[in-house]
Amino acid sequence: MVLAISTPTQANDPDILTDFIAPNASNVNASFFTYSVLSGFFNPYPNNFTVLKASITQFPALDGQSVSYAVLQFPPAGVNPPHTHPRAAELLIVLLGTLEVGFVDTKNVLFNQTLLEGDIFVFPKGLVHFQYNRNHNQSAIAISAFGSANAGLLSVPKSVFTAGIDDNVLAMSFKTDVPTVQKIKLGLKN
């Protein structure tokens, strides 16, 4: 019992005791610290909402550095559904188009804003947030920076409707019926 109480938990990136973490530090050169995938990603006419990540999974040089990026491409009327990042705040900058963005705090207050090109918005760590390209004629592109090499992602619709929660529980929780819950689940399989 005493160990359970006194054992510290870590919900962020650990501090490292070296300059960087590499599988074989003696053979590392500048290419280890270079990630070129984002340079070929720009698509001004995406068909679907698309994310290209530069996190520890894709770019191992980020291990221990407490930073990562994502490029978000929104087709006209595209949405990044409500989600959270449990291990990092998100700093988003709009590069092309406009985005409606928002988050809900722990008092259930919505903070939303329409962002223009060059605008920056911060989503606090762990809070449910979204981005939406309200423009039905133009794409939007944004870059997100995270204060973690592995910010994590919890999609609210997918975690609620595809994790195996009983349909009756969902119907009662959302004050609807089971056929509506099943229709939502079917739509999230695509």
Side-chain angles (χ1 to χ4, degrees), residues 70-160:
V71 175
L72 311 164
Q73 293 193 143
F74 297 83
V79 66
N80 187 1
H83 62 281
T84 69
H85 303 288
R87 294 182 289 277
E90 176 180 354
L91 187 64
L92 178 134
I93 181 169
V94 177
L95 300 179
L96 176 71
T98 61
L99 288 177
E100 182 176 325
V101 301
F103 69 88
V104 179
D105 73 3
T106 58
K107 295 175 185 167
N108 207 33
V109 175
L110 173 64
F111 295 85
N112 68 314
Q113 183 73 28
T114 299
L115 303 181
L116 306 176
E117 291 175 4
D119 287 346
I120 296 175
F121 194 85
V122 64
F123 302 100
K125 180 174 19 178
L127 296 183
V128 173
H129 61 279
F130 66 92
Q131 297 102 25
Y132 172 54
N133 179 6
R134 187 176 294 280
N135 189 322
H136 288 249
N137 299 311
Q138 181 184 354
S139 301
I141 297 177
I143 294 180
S144 289
F146 302 93
S148 171
N150 184 10
L153 175 68
L154 180 81
S155 168
V156 173
K158 287 187 178 182
S159 67
V160 171

Side-chain angles (χ1 to χ4, degrees), residues 4 6 15 30 32 34 37 59 82 88 109 117 124 156 184:
S6 66
D15 287 333
F32 177 74
T34 305
V37 173
F59 189 17
V109 175
E117 291 175 4
V156 173
I184 292 169

